[in-house]
Amino acid sequence: MRVSRRVALTLAVLLLSGCASPAWDDHDYGLKAAQSAQSAASSLEIVRLAVRDEDRLTTPYLKTLFTETVKDLGSVNSQFGGVQPPSPAADEVRGRLLDLTGEAEDQVASLLIQVRRDGIEDPAAAVKDLEGVATKLRAFEEAHL
């Protein structure tokens, strides 16, 4: 009997740990959105610096950094996407944030493909594009604090 109780308790803990915390109102939801935007913008900043200095970094390092960043951005998307919006206004916030984090994820994934092939095609343009999305994410964050 003790073994089955332990198994049940372990399963319950695992299932509950995968759940996103609820947003009780639009303000709480906005704070969660701001935190997610900050996390995504920080990840993009690291990638931007790596692209800027790519000639001084090794290809294996860039591959690892970009792979981990794509995973991190995907995690931000799935974690925030798991929070239920409390109102129709929050639906709009959700859509805008997921669009921005999806754009960020796409840019880094594209850079990863380039690095795996022959290197970053146009580092200056990539830096500018990354800055653009990071700026939008920071503005989003500020608007929802």
Side-chain angles (χ1 to χ4, degrees):
M1 190 59 96
R2 284 186 178 170
V3 172
S4 64
R5 241 189 267 175
R6 285 185 192 160
V7 170
L9 181 61
T10 302
L11 286 174
V13 169
L14 289 173
L15 288 174
L16 291 175
S17 67
C19 297
S21 62
W24 301 110
D25 57 25
D26 284 350
H27 177 72
D28 186 39
Y29 192 78
L31 292 175
K32 290 176 185 297
Q35 182 64 37
S36 296
Q38 181 208 26
S39 179
S42 295
S43 292
L44 279 186
E45 181 62 19
I46 293 167
V47 170
R48 186 189 69 77
L49 291 172
V51 171
R52 184 192 70 189
D53 298 330
E54 57 100 19
D55 58 329
R56 296 187 297 185
L57 301 172
T58 66
T59 298
Y61 176 81
L62 290 172
K63 286 180 187 178
T64 301
L65 176 65
F66 295 170
T67 299
E68 291 304 313
T69 302
V70 168
K71 287 180 190 176
D72 291 346
L73 291 168
S75 178
V76 168
N77 281 337
S78 60
Q79 286 179 6
F80 182 74
V83 178
Q84 297 299 309
S87 71
D91 290 340
E92 185 180 323
V93 170
R94 180 181 191 273
R96 283 186 292 153
L97 179 59
L98 292 179
D99 285 348
L100 286 171
T101 56
E103 184 180 350
E105 187 176 1
D106 289 346
Q107 283 187 9
V108 179
S110 174
L111 289 169
L112 176 59
I113 291 167
Q114 291 175 39
V115 166
R116 286 184 175 161
R117 290 183 180 162
D118 297 322
I120 299 172
E121 294 167 8
D122 187 352
V127 166
K128 185 177 178 186
D129 292 344
L130 291 165
E131 272 184 89
V133 176
T135 298
K136 290 178 200 174
L137 284 163
R138 295 280 185 212
F140 182 95
E141 174 190 3
E142 290 297 319
H144 293 90
L145 287 177

